[in-house]
Amino acid sequence: MLVKGLKVKINGKIILDLDVALALSQGINLILGPNGSGKTTLLRTIIGMIKPYQGEIEKKEELSYSPSEFYSPNIKVKDVILSGKKKGEYEKFTKILDIETLLDRDFMTLSSGEKRKVIIAKALAEGDLVIMDEPFSNLDISNRKKIIDTLVSLKREKQFLITSHELDIVNFADNVIVMKKGKIVYQGDKEGITEELLSSVYETPIRKVSINDYTFFITY
Ligand SMILES: Nc1ncnc2c1ncn2[C@@H]1O[C@H](COP(=O)(O)OP(=O)(O)OP(=O)(O)O)[C@@H](O)[C@H]1O
């Protein structure tokens, strides 16, 4: 996928203003950035929900999308999942994410974490480039690990573009994009995600602490 120089205006206000091309790598591409920095707008523009007034998006891959919020009134879980194209792959992901017993339930009666797993299973089954907005929100620590392990195990088959407010997801990322005020202020490997960069982007002191090669990000 090629995403170059995107500019988006909503109600006359510039929300996205990318001077640079978005350079995705193989595997897990993670977008970080404070609230309101334009992460969701960027994802929605890539999938075609928002039309940029400038810039280019060239997509060769099959894209799938898991939004950060979702509402599907009066629809069964299996119909949410089966409303896509690649039906064959659903079984694999409903099994991995342990949602097989939920298929006959009404989607809106699920807990927030169960809903999250359903829409993630759908996105994983449908796309070669899987775009997920805050896939870890609503998930308990064990389900969070299950999703991370699944993404890591699929890295050679699929490409991921995800957002998260959980900074330690950096540990699993092959490429990190940092946004602030509608712009990309960093993209590259995780080694470039320094305390200085994060403290400046989030406007609060952030410290990196490593234990057994795993990096935690803490405020102090
Ligand atoms: N339809 C809209 N009308 C007006 N402003 C909008 C609209 N959509 C987005 N914005 C504004 O654009 C900015 C970027 O929003 P966006 O949802 O892309 O941020 P985000 O980085 O995903 O934030 P968060 O981490 O809080 O989810 C915000 O200031 C938001 O209020």
Side-chain angles (χ1 to χ4, degrees):
M1 186 180 64
L2 178 78
V3 175
K4 226 164 131 184
L6 290 189
K7 294 185 195 293
V8 169
K9 234 184 234 177
I10 300 177
N11 299 332
K13 191 176 161 218
I14 294 180
I15 304 289
L16 205 60
D17 183 8
L18 305 191
D19 314 319
V20 292
L22 181 68
L24 296 190
S25 78
Q26 269 306 313
I28 300 175
N29 296 269
L30 170 67
I31 307 180
L32 302 176
N35 290 134
S37 54
K39 303 179 299 296
T40 296
T41 305
L42 173 58
L43 298 189
R44 286 180 176 164
T45 308
I46 290 172
I47 63 157
M49 270 173 77
I50 296 177
K51 200 171 154 28
Y53 70 91
Q54 206 172 300
E56 274 176 67
I57 305 174
E58 199 183 291
K59 302 172 236 187
K60 293 196 192 94
E61 307 84 350
E62 188 80 49
L63 263 53
S64 62
Y65 179 57
S66 138
S68 63
E69 286 164 9
F70 27 81
Y71 182 68
S72 292
N74 305 326
I75 181 164
K76 291 247 184 272
V77 169
K78 66 180 169 210
D79 296 324
V80 170
I81 293 189
L82 290 172
S83 61
K85 294 173 211 152
K86 290 190 187 170
K87 299 204 167 27
E89 285 208 80
Y90 290 114
E91 271 180 27
K92 173 173 155 190
F93 294 109
T94 52
K95 194 171 181 158
I96 291 174
L97 301 187
D98 197 19
I99 53 170
E100 291 161 302
T101 57
L102 303 176
L103 295 176
D104 286 318
R105 293 266 305 275
D106 287 335
F107 180 75
M108 289 315 287
T109 67
L110 302 185
S111 78
S112 54
E114 289 167 345
K115 284 181 194 150
R116 176 71 56 198
K117 288 204 288 179
V118 168
I119 62 154
I120 289 178
K122 178 176 170 62
L124 290 175
E126 288 177 359
D128 310 315
L129 171 52
V130 183
I131 298 178
M132 298 196 281
D133 201 353
E134 297 188 33
F136 309 110
S137 68
N138 320 107
L139 293 183
D140 67 41
I141 197 162
S142 138
N143 278 309
R144 182 189 113 119
K145 179 163 170 22
K146 200 174 274 178
I147 302 293
I148 293 171
D149 289 348
T150 305
L151 301 194
V152 170
S153 74
L154 290 169
K155 267 171 38 166
R156 282 183 221 292
E157 289 166 53
K158 293 178 189 279
Q159 205 175 13
F160 299 98
L161 178 61
I162 65 175
T163 67
S164 182
H165 286 299
E166 298 181 18
L167 300 185
D168 67 304
I169 299 298
V170 161
N171 287 283
F172 307 98
D174 300 287
N175 181 42
V176 185
I177 297 133
V178 182
M179 296 189 67
K180 185 170 188 181
K181 295 183 180 160
K183 290 186 180 287
I184 291 178
V185 295
Y186 173 85
Q187 56 181 332
D189 56 27
K190 56 184 157 232
E191 283 69 35
I193 303 299
T194 60
E195 293 179 342
E196 293 73 22
L197 173 69
L198 292 175
S199 302
S200 139
V201 165
Y202 288 95
E203 296 177 10
T204 192
I206 295 174
R207 185 173 284 171
K208 285 167 77 168
V209 180
S210 291
I211 303 175
N212 295 339
D213 288 335
Y214 193 90
T215 304
F216 297 88
F217 297 85
I218 55 170
T219 53
Y220 61 102

